[in-house]
Amino acid sequence: GAVVSQHPSRVICKSGTSVKIECRSLDFQATTMFWYRQFPKQSLMLMATSNEGSKATYEQGVEKDKFLINHASLTLSTLTVTSAHPEDSSFYICSASWGATEQFFGPGTRLTVL
Amino acid sequence: AQTVTQSQPEMSVQEAETVTLSCTYDTSESDYYLFWYKQPPSRQMILVIRQEAYKQQNATENRFSVNFQKAAKSFSLKISDSQLGDAAMYFCAYLVGNQFYFGTGTSLTVIP
């Protein structure tokens, strides 16, 4: 149980375009979902926390207008990178939880902006 | 501020031997959880072991065990009988109030 999926696993886009990444909890209802960014050989950096039906809470330094997060249901959260630029290229990981004792991680999405 | 420190960026171990990865954390909370995650080249985060702070007994999962020293705020991971498949990046993490704080990671190499 507690499986989280992400789609797509890899995406390549042109500079200036927008990209949407989906995060789904497949066998549980996630009251909270989290989005992380990971640069090569570095740790996970929390970008934002989203609760179903409410606005996401962004970490300091994360542009909310650039990284749009929607948590429309208890099983789906989306991250949209708007007007992507090469510096947005990274590995994006989501996680989901239903309580405060554990999070379940998705397999990640590798974004490359040309 | 909550911080998690992994002082060993890289470690190596001979296959079948034992290795210990260190982790310290800083917190003023009394109720929290500690985790070790493994991230292989696939980048999928895999839970290795978890410890509730209120439990004095050290957690164990097969070849993986922890040495949890609450007063010292230390949470080391011991891998016994190391296998080639254990090679990965290992992250120590601290969870409080539904928010994770990750260490910077230790890259473990297993030498055949």
Side-chain angles (χ1 to χ4, degrees):
Chain A
V3 178
V4 176
S5 70
Q6 274 184 249
H7 178 79
S9 57
R10 291 174 177 262
V11 57
I12 301 173
C13 69
K14 292 183 179 179
S15 186
T17 61
S18 294
V19 174
K20 180 184 286 188
I21 302 170
E22 291 186 349
C23 176
R24 294 182 184 271
S25 56
L26 299 184
D27 52 2
F28 67 99
Q29 292 188 324
T31 53
T32 308
M33 287 187 170
F34 306 81
W35 286 96
Y36 296 85
R37 183 173 181 176
Q38 187 181 30
F39 291 103
K41 298 188 178 182
Q42 293 190 23
S43 189
L44 281 69
M45 181 190 77
L46 180 65
M47 299 174 66
T49 302
S50 73
N51 293 296
E52 184 264 340
S54 60
K55 288 185 179 180
T57 301
Y58 290 82
E59 294 299 300
Q60 192 172 8
V62 177
E63 299 175 59
K64 59 183 67 176
D65 293 332
K66 178 159 193 63
F67 299 100
L68 301 178
I69 292 171
N70 184 280
H71 192 165
S73 75
L74 286 172
T75 59
L76 173 65
S77 177
T78 60
L79 167 67
T80 301
V81 183
T82 62
S83 186
H85 288 96
E87 58 265 29
D88 299 325
S89 298
S90 189
F91 193 70
Y92 293 88
I93 303 175
C94 75
S95 70
S97 73
W98 69 76
T101 61
E102 194 162 351
Q103 291 180 22
F104 301 94
F105 290 87
T109 296
R110 182 178 303 280
L111 170 64
T112 303
V113 185
L114 302 177
Chain B
Q2 331 283 1
T3 59
V4 180
T5 301
Q6 293 180 248
S7 59
Q8 308 151 314
E10 297 179 347
M11 290 283 284
S12 61
V13 62
Q14 206 75 34
E15 194 176 3
E17 296 295 311
T18 297
V19 65
T20 299
L21 309 184
S22 66
C23 173
T24 59
Y25 58 96
D26 187 21
T27 183
S28 57
E29 303 288 337
S30 59
D31 187 19
Y32 54 89
Y33 300 82
L34 294 163
F35 301 80
W36 277 98
Y37 281 94
K38 169 185 177 181
Q39 190 180 42
S42 68
R43 308 289 289 271
Q44 169 76 61
M45 295 287 281
I46 301 168
L47 177 64
V48 174
I49 201 164
R50 158 203 168 109
Q51 174 84 41
E52 292 89 344
Y54 63 85
K55 289 187 177 179
Q56 292 186 337
Q57 186 172 6
N58 290 324
T60 299
E61 285 289 341
N62 300 315
R63 298 183 294 106
F64 300 88
S65 62
V66 298
N67 183 3
F68 175 44
Q69 303 288 329
K70 190 172 185 178
K73 297 179 182 175
S74 170
F75 183 61
S76 61
L77 173 70
K78 185 171 83 172
I79 306 174
S80 304
D81 185 26
S82 297
Q83 300 176 359
L84 296 178
D86 295 335
M89 183 71 82
Y90 286 80
F91 291 100
C92 175
Y94 157 90
L95 178 66
V96 64
N98 212 20
Q99 181 153 351
F100 261 118
Y101 299 89
F102 286 93
T104 50
T106 297
S107 178
L108 178 66
T109 301
V110 180
I111 304 166

